Each structure stands twice: as C-alpha cells, then as structure tokens.
C-alpha cells in the first residue's frame, strides 16, 4: 500500500501534510532557480527578515516555509485558520444551509497578493504575505479545501471530509486526512530543516510528479489565472473523485486509490507550476517590464 519513501509517522498538520506542501513549493523553487534566478533571489530576500529563530529555524527556504502557516497552528496561533479553505457546499440532497463564509482562501490570496506587490510594504508584512501565499497555493489545490458535503448524515456538513470517517491506516481515519496525506503517498512529514537526503527525496518525488504531469500536459489549466475557477475545478474533482465511490466507514477500494493518487499528483504539480507563474508575475517589477518591452 505504501511506497518505499513512506514511513509511518504521526502527522498533526491538517492541510496537505507538510511533505505535500513542500513538494509543490519545491517544484516552484527549482523552476525559479533554473529559469528565473533573479526572481528566486527576490523571493529569498523577502523571506530573509523572518528566517532563523523568528520562524523556529524550520522555514528558511521557499520549500520549507510552505508549511509555516500550519506551524502557526502547532504554535497555538489559530487566528488565520479559516483562511486555509473555501468550503463550497456539495449538497446533493438539497438541504437548507448557511452561506459560505467570506473570509476564505480566495479572499486571503487576493489580499496577501496586494501586500506582496505593494511598493510601500515593510519587510515584516511582505515576508508574512509570501509565506502565507506559498501555503495557500498548496491548499487551494486540495479538493477538500474547496468542498464540504451536506447530507442527511451530515446536516452541518462533514467539514471538508473531516467528519467523514473511513478506514485506511493508523494515521488516516477520515476523508480529509486521506486526501491531505496524498492518499498515503506523502504521509511522512520530512523533518525541517531538511537534511540533504530529504532534499533528495523531494527531488525524486518532484521528478516523478512533473514527469507524469508536464507543463505541456497542464497547459490548459495553466492558462487560467482565476482563483475562483481554480476552486471550482477542485470542487468538481471532489464531486467526481473524493465523494464518488466511497461510503462512510469504508476502506477505499484499489480503484478509488489509484484514481485519487493521479488526481493528487496532478493537483500538487499544478500548484507548483502556478506558484512559479504567480511569483514571476508578482515579483517582476512593473517599471522593469515597461522598460524591457
Ligand atoms: C495580484 O494583483 C494584481 C494587481 O492587482 C492582479 O493583476 C493579479 O491578478 C493578482 N493575483 C492574484 C493571484 O490575486
Ligand atoms: C510517474 O510517477 C511514478 C510514481 O508514482 C513513477 O514511478 C514514474 O516514473 C513517473 N513517470 C514519469 C514519466 O516520470
């Protein structure tokens, strides 16, 4: 059931678990270093002021800081929790339900985008904005950060799959955790700061993921820059692949697992490419673009 790179460690994160976040960010980090080194330098200089002790010595690179918004929760800072998702109701039985909260991940990304690109922002705010953005670019691609099920069994919703109990393994006992763990593929949180062997693990995974889903394969998805359409795409994936073919209390079938792993691989890879494209467009100085074109 588990690949050779997967160990069994308990994870306390509740978004793509840390390795999934780092994999998406690593894909972006490598693309920036290879194709846009000056943007990569800008990223590092924005991270700089909050590196080291200020972020617990575990968030010193674009890759490692992708888990920082979840580190906040571990550190009892829960004020930003609602910003990690936009749970659009999947309501096949037509129950009467409350409207979706507006302080959601789409709102958060657009506002942190404003902070990141503002010319007057102080280093603290810019660094925080970038760190949140890297994380939210991952979360928005996890279908259960875009969807919540309402039904007779879940009249108050299943909280993005968190209340939807399933049987999988000792760490994964609900649908949300199943998808956060990349369907068991990325269940182990690689310790940060990353060791050289953990960087190699990420590099191997990134090669597999980007090999299975190249930019060319995803060219259609990459044309869309609308956060709302990204969340709708993920919502459709939730209906077709997350909630389809599994009932409460079941163990996911091999068919479910195989399909779901493809979806996860695609979504994490897409999050990496989109993060690259976003950072290039956000951090290319406007005046410079005008001068050069
Ligand atoms: C960031 O803001 C710029 C300028 O308003 C806008 O063109 C761009 O679409 C925004 N990007 C995101 C991801 O919100
Ligand atoms: C696709 O991913 C699998 C691991 O899930 C890997 O074994 C395979 O080599 C990858 N394919 C490519 C073309 O990279």
């Amino acid at each position: 059931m588990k690949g050779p790179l997967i160990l069994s460690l308990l994870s306390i994160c509740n978004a793509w678990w840390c390795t999934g976040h780092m994999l998406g960010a690593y894909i972006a980090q490598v693309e920036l270093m290879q194709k846009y080194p000056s943007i990569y330098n800008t990223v590092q200089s924005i991270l700089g002021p909050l590196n080291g002790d200020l972020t617990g010595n575990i968030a010193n690179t674009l890759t490692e800081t992708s888990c920082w918004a979840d580190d906040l929760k571990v550190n009892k800072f829960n004020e930003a929790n609602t910003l990690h998702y936009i749970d659009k109701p999947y309501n096949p039985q037509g129950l009467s339900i409350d409207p979706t909260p507006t302080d959601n991940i789409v709102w958060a990304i657009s506002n942190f985008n404003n902070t990141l690109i503002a010319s007057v922002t102080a280093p603290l705010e810019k660094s925080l904005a970038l760190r949140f953005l890297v994380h939210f670019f991952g979360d928005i691609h996890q279908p259960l950060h875009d969807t919540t099920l309402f039904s007779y069994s879940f009249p108050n919703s299943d909280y993005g799959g968190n209340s939807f109990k399933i049987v999988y393994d000792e760490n994964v006992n609900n649908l949300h955790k199943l998808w956060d763990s990349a369907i068991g593929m990325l269940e182990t949180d690689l310790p940060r700061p990353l060791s050289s062997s953990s960087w190699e693990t990420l590099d191997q995974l990134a090669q597999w993921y980007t090999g299975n889903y190249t930019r060319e394969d995803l060219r259609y998805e990459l044309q869309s820059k609308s956060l709302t359409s990204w969340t709708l795409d993920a919502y459709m994936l939730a209906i077709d692949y997350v909630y389809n073919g599994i009932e409460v209390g079941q163990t996911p079938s091999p068919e479910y697992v195989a399909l779901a792993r493809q979806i996860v691989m695609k979504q994490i890879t897409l999050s990496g490419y989109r993060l690259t494209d976003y950072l290039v467009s956000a951090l290319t100085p406007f005046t410079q673009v005008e001068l050069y074109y």
Side-chain angles (χ1 to χ4, degrees), residues 10-24:
L10 189 69
S11 169
I12 48 173
C13 297
N14 58 354
W16 292 124
W17 284 346
C18 187
T19 302
H21 274 285
M22 288 199 289
L23 181 51

Side-chain angles (χ1 to χ4, degrees), residues 109-110 113-114 117 137 225 227 278:
I109 291 179
S110 3
N113 172 50
N114 293 339
I117 64 181
F137 264 70
K225 308 290 179 196
L227 298 174
Y278 166 69

Side-chain angles (χ1 to χ4, degrees), residues 15-61:
W16 292 124
W17 284 346
C18 187
T19 302
H21 274 285
M22 288 199 289
L23 181 51
Y26 180 78
I27 289 169
Q29 180 169 324
V30 169
E31 285 197 313
L32 290 175
M33 290 169 81
Q34 289 176 351
K35 293 195 271 184
Y36 307 95
S38 72
I39 300 290
Y40 184 65
N41 287 340
T42 305
V43 163
Q44 284 186 298
S45 70
I46 294 172
L47 294 178
L50 295 186
N51 279 347
D53 288 344
L54 289 176
T55 42
N57 293 300
I58 54 172
N60 293 342
T61 58

Side-chain angles (χ1 to χ4, degrees), residues 24-25 28 62 133-134 137 270-280:
L62 185 66
L133 283 163
V134 175
F137 264 70
L270 187 55
S271 78
Y273 294 152
R274 280 179 171 158
L275 181 60
T276 303
D277 293 350
Y278 166 69
L279 290 173
V280 169

Side-chain angles (χ1 to χ4, degrees), residues 48-80:
L50 295 186
N51 279 347
D53 288 344
L54 289 176
T55 42
N57 293 300
I58 54 172
N60 293 342
T61 58
L62 185 66
T63 297
E64 290 159 298
T65 204
S66 66
C67 308
W68 170 79
D70 281 339
D71 297 339
L72 288 178
K73 300 181 187 177
V74 177
N75 296 332
K76 307 289 175 213
F77 183 106
N78 289 306
E79 287 78 358

Side-chain angles (χ1 to χ4, degrees), residues 49-232:
L50 295 186
N51 279 347
D53 288 344
L54 289 176
T55 42
N57 293 300
I58 54 172
N60 293 342
T61 58
L62 185 66
T63 297
E64 290 159 298
T65 204
S66 66
C67 308
W68 170 79
D70 281 339
D71 297 339
L72 288 178
K73 300 181 187 177
V74 177
N75 296 332
K76 307 289 175 213
F77 183 106
N78 289 306
E79 287 78 358
N81 289 5
T82 57
L83 306 183
H84 291 237
Y85 55 86
I86 176 166
D87 277 356
K88 185 174 160 61
Y90 173 43
N91 186 8
Q93 290 157 346
L95 309 187
S96 113
I97 56 177
D98 291 336
T100 310
T102 51
D103 53 341
N104 55 44
I105 193 169
V106 170
W107 180 86
I109 291 179
S110 3
N111 279 281
F112 284 125
N113 172 50
N114 293 339
T115 308
L116 188 68
I117 64 181
S119 55
V120 292
T121 319
L124 170 76
E125 287 86 327
K126 266 213 197 310
S127 195
L128 287 177
L130 176 58
R131 288 164 194 272
F132 273 117
L133 283 163
V134 175
H135 186 83
F136 294 156
F137 264 70
D139 277 348
I140 201 170
H141 289 87
Q142 207 283 47
L144 285 174
H145 281 246
D146 303 274
T147 317
T148 195
L149 171 68
F150 285 82
S151 69
Y152 299 127
S153 308
F154 301 107
N156 297 313
S157 103
D158 74 347
Y159 301 98
N162 277 295
S163 302
F164 195 116
K165 298 289 175 211
I166 59 156
V167 178
Y168 188 73
D169 68 18
E170 64 275 20
N171 305 324
V172 172
N173 57 7
N174 68 50
L175 210 47
H176 192 93
K177 287 182 180 174
L178 182 69
W179 282 77
D180 270 353
S181 72
I183 325 294
M185 292 189 292
L186 307 175
E187 226 177 291
T188 305
D189 280 351
L190 299 171
R192 291 166 290 147
L194 292 170
S195 64
S196 50
S197 74
S198 292
W199 282 109
E200 281 167 24
T201 300
L202 280 179
D203 194 64
Q204 174 69 82
L205 289 165
Q207 287 184 32
W208 285 345
Y209 277 52
T210 57
N212 277 282
Y213 292 98
T214 64
R215 274 189 171 268
E216 178 62 15
D217 295 332
L218 300 179
R219 64 190 179 283
Y220 176 75
E221 287 84 348
L222 290 170
Q223 279 166 11
S224 164
K225 308 290 179 196
S226 153
L227 298 174
T228 305
S229 75
W230 298 358
T231 69
L232 285 176

